[in-house]
Amino acid sequence: MSTVLDKNPAPQSESFTELLRQLATSSATVVQDEIELLKQEAKEKVRSILSGMVMAVIGIVLSLVALLSFSAALIFYLIPYLGVINAALATGGLFAVGGFIFILVGYSKLNSNA
């Protein structure tokens, strides 16, 4: 009949040392894998942000083209009533006032968050 006490303690300490070595190796591998995963997630997040920024810039450029088109249309509409110079000045003034209002609202929101 064999019991636990009959075993030689030397192989157990070697196997325990080997287990500790494997644990250290596995832990190092897990940490390295986690670091690589974090790097990959950061790269994906940067790509996503850059993609969003590119789309926003394209949208801004298209909006500016549309704004210029509407400005020209408004000027042409106002020419019979105000003349060429006054129609252009009225349209420019209208957009300047609108832009100034947006600047004030944005500035006040930035100051309220600070």
Side-chain angles (χ1 to χ4, degrees):
M1 190 158 144
S2 175
T3 64
V4 174
L5 297 175
D6 292 346
K7 291 186 177 182
N8 188 357
Q12 286 181 350
S13 73
E14 287 177 13
S15 66
F16 182 71
T17 305
E18 182 61 31
L19 285 174
L20 284 177
R21 187 176 297 123
Q22 288 176 358
L23 177 63
T25 304
S26 297
S27 297
T29 303
V30 167
V31 169
Q32 289 173 351
D33 288 346
E34 285 295 320
I35 291 171
E36 288 301 317
L37 181 63
L38 288 173
K39 286 180 183 178
Q40 185 65 29
E41 288 175 355
K43 286 178 184 177
E44 289 176 8
K45 195 168 278 194
V46 167
R47 282 188 199 122
S48 174
I49 290 171
L50 286 177
S51 174
M53 288 175 64
V54 166
M55 295 301 284
V57 168
I58 290 171
I60 289 169
V61 169
L62 291 176
S63 296
L64 287 174
V65 170
L67 180 64
L68 292 173
S69 298
F70 285 128
S71 296
L74 182 60
I75 290 169
F76 283 127
Y77 177 77
L78 292 175
I79 285 175
Y81 304 104
L82 302 175
V84 176
I85 294 174
N86 288 334
L89 289 174
T91 303
L94 177 70
F95 284 116
V97 169
F100 185 70
I101 290 170
F102 275 100
I103 289 171
L104 288 179
V105 169
Y107 184 73
S108 67
K109 286 188 177 192
L110 285 174
N111 281 339
S112 67
N113 290 334

mmCIF file of all heavy atoms in Angstrom, residues 18-55:
data_model
loop_
_atom_site.group_PDB
_atom_site.id
_atom_site.type_symbol
_atom_site.label_atom_id
_atom_site.label_comp_id
_atom_site.label_asym_id
_atom_site.label_seq_id
_atom_site.Cartn_x
_atom_site.Cartn_y
_atom_site.Cartn_z
ATOM 1 N N GLU A 18 10.014 23.958 -11.071
ATOM 2 C CA GLU A 18 9.619 23.994 -12.487
ATOM 3 C C GLU A 18 8.272 24.686 -12.656
ATOM 4 O O GLU A 18 8.075 25.471 -13.589
ATOM 5 C CB GLU A 18 9.561 22.573 -13.060
ATOM 6 C CG GLU A 18 9.219 22.513 -14.527
ATOM 7 C CD GLU A 18 10.234 23.224 -15.408
ATOM 8 O OE1 GLU A 18 11.438 23.275 -15.075
ATOM 9 O OE2 GLU A 18 9.801 23.773 -16.443
ATOM 10 N N LEU A 19 7.339 24.432 -11.753
ATOM 11 C CA LEU A 19 6.034 25.099 -11.807
ATOM 12 C C LEU A 19 6.177 26.611 -11.620
ATOM 13 O O LEU A 19 5.529 27.396 -12.310
ATOM 14 C CB LEU A 19 5.097 24.530 -10.745
ATOM 15 C CG LEU A 19 4.512 23.152 -11.025
ATOM 16 C CD1 LEU A 19 3.721 22.653 -9.828
ATOM 17 C CD2 LEU A 19 3.626 23.188 -12.261
ATOM 18 N N LEU A 20 7.041 27.005 -10.696
ATOM 19 C CA LEU A 20 7.279 28.435 -10.490
ATOM 20 C C LEU A 20 7.908 29.061 -11.726
ATOM 21 O O LEU A 20 7.559 30.182 -12.121
ATOM 22 C CB LEU A 20 8.172 28.666 -9.270
ATOM 23 C CG LEU A 20 7.504 28.497 -7.903
ATOM 24 C CD1 LEU A 20 8.524 28.690 -6.799
ATOM 25 C CD2 LEU A 20 6.364 29.464 -7.742
ATOM 26 N N ARG A 21 8.835 28.358 -12.353
ATOM 27 C CA ARG A 21 9.468 28.848 -13.574
ATOM 28 C C ARG A 21 8.418 28.995 -14.688
ATOM 29 O O ARG A 21 8.392 29.999 -15.402
ATOM 30 C CB ARG A 21 10.580 27.898 -14.003
ATOM 31 C CG ARG A 21 11.403 28.430 -15.173
ATOM 32 C CD ARG A 21 12.578 27.521 -15.523
ATOM 33 N NE ARG A 21 13.523 27.439 -14.395
ATOM 34 C CZ ARG A 21 13.892 26.300 -13.805
ATOM 35 N NH1 ARG A 21 13.417 25.144 -14.245
ATOM 36 N NH2 ARG A 21 14.740 26.313 -12.804
ATOM 37 N N GLN A 22 7.542 28.003 -14.822
ATOM 38 C CA GLN A 22 6.489 28.066 -15.836
ATOM 39 C C GLN A 22 5.517 29.207 -15.543
ATOM 40 O O GLN A 22 5.055 29.897 -16.454
ATOM 41 C CB GLN A 22 5.738 26.738 -15.899
ATOM 42 C CG GLN A 22 6.531 25.614 -16.517
ATOM 43 C CD GLN A 22 5.772 24.292 -16.457
ATOM 44 O OE1 GLN A 22 4.664 24.225 -15.922
ATOM 45 N NE2 GLN A 22 6.379 23.243 -16.996
ATOM 46 N N LEU A 23 5.218 29.383 -14.249
ATOM 47 C CA LEU A 23 4.319 30.466 -13.856
ATOM 48 C C LEU A 23 4.932 31.823 -14.203
ATOM 49 O O LEU A 23 4.251 32.707 -14.743
ATOM 50 C CB LEU A 23 4.024 30.402 -12.351
ATOM 51 C CG LEU A 23 3.147 31.515 -11.793
ATOM 52 C CD1 LEU A 23 1.764 31.469 -12.416
ATOM 53 C CD2 LEU A 23 3.074 31.409 -10.280
ATOM 54 N N ALA A 24 6.213 31.987 -13.938
ATOM 55 C CA ALA A 24 6.886 33.248 -14.265
ATOM 56 C C ALA A 24 6.902 33.470 -15.774
ATOM 57 O O ALA A 24 6.635 34.586 -16.248
ATOM 58 C CB ALA A 24 8.305 33.236 -13.702
ATOM 59 N N THR A 25 7.191 32.413 -16.520
ATOM 60 C CA THR A 25 7.207 32.524 -17.980
ATOM 61 C C THR A 25 5.818 32.846 -18.509
ATOM 62 O O THR A 25 5.653 33.728 -19.364
ATOM 63 C CB THR A 25 7.724 31.216 -18.609
ATOM 64 O OG1 THR A 25 9.020 30.925 -18.073
ATOM 65 C CG2 THR A 25 7.809 31.323 -20.122
ATOM 66 N N SER A 26 4.826 32.156 -17.990
ATOM 67 C CA SER A 26 3.448 32.397 -18.436
ATOM 68 C C SER A 26 3.000 33.805 -18.066
ATOM 69 O O SER A 26 2.339 34.479 -18.856
ATOM 70 C CB SER A 26 2.499 31.375 -17.812
ATOM 71 O OG SER A 26 2.818 30.078 -18.242
ATOM 72 N N SER A 27 3.367 34.259 -16.878
ATOM 73 C CA SER A 27 2.991 35.610 -16.456
ATOM 74 C C SER A 27 3.632 36.653 -17.354
ATOM 75 O O SER A 27 2.985 37.623 -17.751
ATOM 76 C CB SER A 27 3.404 35.850 -15.001
ATOM 77 O OG SER A 27 2.732 34.973 -14.147
ATOM 78 N N ALA A 28 4.889 36.450 -17.679
ATOM 79 C CA ALA A 28 5.575 37.390 -18.567
ATOM 80 C C ALA A 28 4.919 37.399 -19.944
ATOM 81 O O ALA A 28 4.741 38.461 -20.550
ATOM 82 C CB ALA A 28 7.051 37.028 -18.677
ATOM 83 N N THR A 29 4.540 36.229 -20.428
ATOM 84 C CA THR A 29 3.879 36.131 -21.732
ATOM 85 C C THR A 29 2.530 36.839 -21.703
ATOM 86 O O THR A 29 2.176 37.560 -22.641
ATOM 87 C CB THR A 29 3.707 34.658 -22.134
ATOM 88 O OG1 THR A 29 4.987 34.028 -22.138
ATOM 89 C CG2 THR A 29 3.059 34.528 -23.497
ATOM 90 N N VAL A 30 1.780 36.647 -20.619
ATOM 91 C CA VAL A 30 0.471 37.295 -20.494
ATOM 92 C C VAL A 30 0.633 38.809 -20.464
ATOM 93 O O VAL A 30 -0.100 39.543 -21.131
ATOM 94 C CB VAL A 30 -0.278 36.794 -19.232
ATOM 95 C CG1 VAL A 30 -1.474 37.660 -18.916
ATOM 96 C CG2 VAL A 30 -0.707 35.356 -19.411
ATOM 97 N N VAL A 31 1.618 39.309 -19.721
ATOM 98 C CA VAL A 31 1.856 40.750 -19.650
ATOM 99 C C VAL A 31 2.240 41.284 -21.028
ATOM 100 O O VAL A 31 1.737 42.325 -21.468
ATOM 101 C CB VAL A 31 2.937 41.077 -18.591
ATOM 102 C CG1 VAL A 31 3.382 42.518 -18.704
ATOM 103 C CG2 VAL A 31 2.424 40.777 -17.197
ATOM 104 N N GLN A 32 3.117 40.581 -21.738
ATOM 105 C CA GLN A 32 3.508 41.021 -23.075
ATOM 106 C C GLN A 32 2.319 41.015 -24.026
ATOM 107 O O GLN A 32 2.149 41.931 -24.837
ATOM 108 C CB GLN A 32 4.625 40.135 -23.619
ATOM 109 C CG GLN A 32 5.952 40.350 -22.929
ATOM 110 C CD GLN A 32 7.000 39.344 -23.365
ATOM 111 O OE1 GLN A 32 6.707 38.377 -24.065
ATOM 112 N NE2 GLN A 32 8.248 39.568 -22.931
ATOM 113 N N ASP A 33 1.475 39.977 -23.923
ATOM 114 C CA ASP A 33 0.286 39.910 -24.772
ATOM 115 C C ASP A 33 -0.674 41.056 -24.459
ATOM 116 O O ASP A 33 -1.282 41.640 -25.358
ATOM 117 C CB ASP A 33 -0.422 38.564 -24.604
ATOM 118 C CG ASP A 33 0.348 37.414 -25.232
ATOM 119 O OD1 ASP A 33 1.280 37.681 -26.019
ATOM 120 O OD2 ASP A 33 0.017 36.245 -24.925
ATOM 121 N N GLU A 34 -0.817 41.387 -23.181
ATOM 122 C CA GLU A 34 -1.683 42.495 -22.790
ATOM 123 C C GLU A 34 -1.142 43.819 -23.324
ATOM 124 O O GLU A 34 -1.897 44.666 -23.787
ATOM 125 C CB GLU A 34 -1.830 42.561 -21.266
ATOM 126 C CG GLU A 34 -2.724 41.497 -20.683
ATOM 127 C CD GLU A 34 -4.169 41.636 -21.133
ATOM 128 O OE1 GLU A 34 -4.686 42.767 -21.221
ATOM 129 O OE2 GLU A 34 -4.775 40.593 -21.422
ATOM 130 N N ILE A 35 0.161 43.996 -23.267
ATOM 131 C CA ILE A 35 0.774 45.214 -23.799
ATOM 132 C C ILE A 35 0.533 45.308 -25.301
ATOM 133 O O ILE A 35 0.178 46.374 -25.815
ATOM 134 C CB ILE A 35 2.278 45.261 -23.464
ATOM 135 C CG1 ILE A 35 2.475 45.475 -21.964
ATOM 136 C CG2 ILE A 35 2.986 46.347 -24.256
ATOM 137 C CD1 ILE A 35 3.904 45.317 -21.494
ATOM 138 N N GLU A 36 0.703 44.217 -26.014
ATOM 139 C CA GLU A 36 0.446 44.206 -27.455
ATOM 140 C C GLU A 36 -1.020 44.501 -27.753
ATOM 141 O O GLU A 36 -1.339 45.216 -28.708
ATOM 142 C CB GLU A 36 0.854 42.859 -28.070
ATOM 143 C CG GLU A 36 2.342 42.646 -28.149
ATOM 144 C CD GLU A 36 3.046 43.706 -28.979
ATOM 145 O OE1 GLU A 36 2.537 44.082 -30.056
ATOM 146 O OE2 GLU A 36 4.111 44.178 -28.537
ATOM 147 N N LEU A 37 -1.921 43.961 -26.929
ATOM 148 C CA LEU A 37 -3.352 44.216 -27.112
ATOM 149 C C LEU A 37 -3.660 45.698 -26.895
ATOM 150 O O LEU A 37 -4.410 46.300 -27.675
ATOM 151 C CB LEU A 37 -4.166 43.356 -26.145
ATOM 152 C CG LEU A 37 -5.683 43.497 -26.222
ATOM 153 C CD1 LEU A 37 -6.190 43.064 -27.586
ATOM 154 C CD2 LEU A 37 -6.332 42.673 -25.123
ATOM 155 N N LEU A 38 -3.070 46.291 -25.871
ATOM 156 C CA LEU A 38 -3.271 47.715 -25.622
ATOM 157 C C LEU A 38 -2.733 48.561 -26.771
ATOM 158 O O LEU A 38 -3.355 49.550 -27.176
ATOM 159 C CB LEU A 38 -2.606 48.123 -24.308
ATOM 160 C CG LEU A 38 -3.291 47.633 -23.034
ATOM 161 C CD1 LEU A 38 -2.437 47.967 -21.816
ATOM 162 C CD2 LEU A 38 -4.671 48.230 -22.896
ATOM 163 N N LYS A 39 -1.575 48.171 -27.307
ATOM 164 C CA LYS A 39 -1.012 48.892 -28.452
ATOM 165 C C LYS A 39 -1.957 48.810 -29.649
ATOM 166 O O LYS A 39 -2.198 49.806 -30.332
ATOM 167 C CB LYS A 39 0.347 48.317 -28.846
ATOM 168 C CG LYS A 39 1.469 48.672 -27.913
ATOM 169 C CD LYS A 39 2.771 48.043 -28.402
ATOM 170 C CE LYS A 39 3.929 48.300 -27.481
ATOM 171 N NZ LYS A 39 5.155 47.636 -27.953
ATOM 172 N N GLN A 40 -2.475 47.618 -29.903
ATOM 173 C CA GLN A 40 -3.380 47.424 -31.036
ATOM 174 C C GLN A 40 -4.658 48.231 -30.846
ATOM 175 O O GLN A 40 -5.153 48.860 -31.789
ATOM 176 C CB GLN A 40 -3.713 45.932 -31.204
ATOM 177 C CG GLN A 40 -4.540 45.629 -32.421
ATOM 178 C CD GLN A 40 -3.810 45.933 -33.716
ATOM 179 O OE1 GLN A 40 -2.600 45.874 -33.795
ATOM 180 N NE2 GLN A 40 -4.567 46.286 -34.733
ATOM 181 N N GLU A 41 -5.201 48.237 -29.624
ATOM 182 C CA GLU A 41 -6.407 49.016 -29.359
ATOM 183 C C GLU A 41 -6.137 50.507 -29.542
ATOM 184 O O GLU A 41 -6.983 51.231 -30.066
ATOM 185 C CB GLU A 41 -6.918 48.736 -27.945
ATOM 186 C CG GLU A 41 -7.544 47.376 -27.785
ATOM 187 C CD GLU A 41 -7.933 47.072 -26.349
ATOM 188 O OE1 GLU A 41 -7.628 47.882 -25.445
ATOM 189 O OE2 GLU A 41 -8.547 46.016 -26.133
ATOM 190 N N ALA A 42 -4.980 50.972 -29.106
ATOM 191 C CA ALA A 42 -4.625 52.381 -29.270
ATOM 192 C C ALA A 42 -4.507 52.732 -30.751
ATOM 193 O O ALA A 42 -4.982 53.786 -31.191
ATOM 194 C CB ALA A 42 -3.329 52.688 -28.536
ATOM 195 N N LYS A 43 -3.890 51.848 -31.546
ATOM 196 C CA LYS A 43 -3.770 52.090 -32.986
ATOM 197 C C LYS A 43 -5.147 52.173 -33.637
ATOM 198 O O LYS A 43 -5.396 53.032 -34.481
ATOM 199 C CB LYS A 43 -2.949 50.987 -33.645
ATOM 200 C CG LYS A 43 -1.469 51.066 -33.367
ATOM 201 C CD LYS A 43 -0.730 49.918 -34.023
ATOM 202 C CE LYS A 43 0.743 49.926 -33.666
ATOM 203 N NZ LYS A 43 1.455 48.771 -34.230
ATOM 204 N N GLU A 44 -6.044 51.259 -33.243
ATOM 205 C CA GLU A 44 -7.387 51.268 -33.813
ATOM 206 C C GLU A 44 -8.135 52.540 -33.425
ATOM 207 O O GLU A 44 -8.864 53.118 -34.235
ATOM 208 C CB GLU A 44 -8.155 50.027 -33.363
ATOM 209 C CG GLU A 44 -7.663 48.747 -34.001
ATOM 210 C CD GLU A 44 -8.362 47.510 -33.466
ATOM 211 O OE1 GLU A 44 -9.342 47.650 -32.703
ATOM 212 O OE2 GLU A 44 -7.919 46.404 -33.814
ATOM 213 N N LYS A 45 -7.945 52.997 -32.184
ATOM 214 C CA LYS A 45 -8.614 54.209 -31.736
ATOM 215 C C LYS A 45 -8.090 55.421 -32.502
ATOM 216 O O LYS A 45 -8.853 56.289 -32.919
ATOM 217 C CB LYS A 45 -8.401 54.401 -30.235
ATOM 218 C CG LYS A 45 -9.326 55.414 -29.610
ATOM 219 C CD LYS A 45 -9.269 55.343 -28.109
ATOM 220 C CE LYS A 45 -10.169 54.220 -27.653
ATOM 221 N NZ LYS A 45 -10.448 54.240 -26.238
ATOM 222 N N VAL A 46 -6.775 55.466 -32.729
ATOM 223 C CA VAL A 46 -6.183 56.569 -33.484
ATOM 224 C C VAL A 46 -6.700 56.549 -34.917
ATOM 225 O O VAL A 46 -7.046 57.592 -35.480
ATOM 226 C CB VAL A 46 -4.638 56.496 -33.444
ATOM 227 C CG1 VAL A 46 -4.006 57.410 -34.465
ATOM 228 C CG2 VAL A 46 -4.129 56.819 -32.053
ATOM 229 N N ARG A 47 -6.767 55.362 -35.514
ATOM 230 C CA ARG A 47 -7.303 55.260 -36.880
ATOM 231 C C ARG A 47 -8.742 55.744 -36.937
ATOM 232 O O ARG A 47 -9.138 56.448 -37.868
ATOM 233 C CB ARG A 47 -7.234 53.813 -37.373
ATOM 234 C CG ARG A 47 -5.869 53.394 -37.820
ATOM 235 C CD ARG A 47 -5.899 52.007 -38.478
ATOM 236 N NE ARG A 47 -4.565 51.456 -38.488
ATOM 237 C CZ ARG A 47 -4.211 50.303 -37.939
ATOM 238 N NH1 ARG A 47 -5.110 49.550 -37.340
ATOM 239 N NH2 ARG A 47 -2.966 49.888 -37.986
ATOM 240 N N SER A 48 -9.526 55.369 -35.933
ATOM 241 C CA SER A 48 -10.924 55.785 -35.885
ATOM 242 C C SER A 48 -11.037 57.298 -35.750
ATOM 243 O O SER A 48 -11.849 57.937 -36.428
ATOM 244 C CB SER A 48 -11.622 55.088 -34.713
ATOM 245 O OG SER A 48 -12.929 55.561 -34.559
ATOM 246 N N ILE A 49 -10.216 57.882 -34.889
ATOM 247 C CA ILE A 49 -10.236 59.334 -34.698
ATOM 248 C C ILE A 49 -9.807 60.038 -35.976
ATOM 249 O O ILE A 49 -10.432 61.020 -36.396
ATOM 250 C CB ILE A 49 -9.345 59.725 -33.505
ATOM 251 C CG1 ILE A 49 -9.994 59.260 -32.198
ATOM 252 C CG2 ILE A 49 -9.085 61.219 -33.482
ATOM 253 C CD1 ILE A 49 -9.091 59.395 -30.991
ATOM 254 N N LEU A 50 -8.742 59.544 -36.610
ATOM 255 C CA LEU A 50 -8.281 60.160 -37.856
ATOM 256 C C LEU A 50 -9.338 60.058 -38.952
ATOM 257 O O LEU A 50 -9.545 61.001 -39.706
ATOM 258 C CB LEU A 50 -6.976 59.525 -38.309
ATOM 259 C CG LEU A 50 -5.730 59.913 -37.516
ATOM 260 C CD1 LEU A 50 -4.511 59.146 -38.023
ATOM 261 C CD2 LEU A 50 -5.483 61.406 -37.594
ATOM 262 N N SER A 51 -9.997 58.923 -39.014
ATOM 263 C CA SER A 51 -11.054 58.744 -40.008
ATOM 264 C C SER A 51 -12.181 59.742 -39.762
ATOM 265 O O SER A 51 -12.690 60.361 -40.707
ATOM 266 C CB SER A 51 -11.582 57.311 -39.949
ATOM 267 O OG SER A 51 -12.692 57.157 -40.789
ATOM 268 N N GLY A 52 -12.549 59.908 -38.509
ATOM 269 C CA GLY A 52 -13.586 60.876 -38.173
ATOM 270 C C GLY A 52 -13.169 62.301 -38.494
ATOM 271 O O GLY A 52 -13.976 63.097 -38.981
ATOM 272 N N MET A 53 -11.903 62.614 -38.236
ATOM 273 C CA MET A 53 -11.411 63.948 -38.534
ATOM 274 C C MET A 53 -11.414 64.216 -40.035
ATOM 275 O O MET A 53 -11.775 65.315 -40.478
ATOM 276 C CB MET A 53 -10.012 64.143 -37.951
ATOM 277 C CG MET A 53 -9.992 64.263 -36.447
ATOM 278 S SD MET A 53 -8.340 64.359 -35.752
ATOM 279 C CE MET A 53 -7.758 65.892 -36.425
ATOM 280 N N VAL A 54 -11.009 63.228 -40.820
ATOM 281 C CA VAL A 54 -11.007 63.388 -42.280
ATOM 282 C C VAL A 54 -12.436 63.621 -42.773
ATOM 283 O O VAL A 54 -12.680 64.508 -43.605
ATOM 284 C CB VAL A 54 -10.364 62.163 -42.967
ATOM 285 C CG1 VAL A 54 -10.650 62.148 -44.459
ATOM 286 C CG2 VAL A 54 -8.879 62.136 -42.703
ATOM 287 N N MET A 55 -13.373 62.846 -42.245
ATOM 288 C CA MET A 55 -14.765 63.020 -42.657
ATOM 289 C C MET A 55 -15.282 64.396 -42.251
ATOM 290 O O MET A 55 -16.019 65.041 -43.007
ATOM 291 C CB MET A 55 -15.640 61.922 -42.046
ATOM 292 C CG MET A 55 -15.297 60.526 -42.545
ATOM 293 S SD MET A 55 -15.452 60.359 -44.327
ATOM 294 C CE MET A 55 -17.204 60.263 -44.478
#
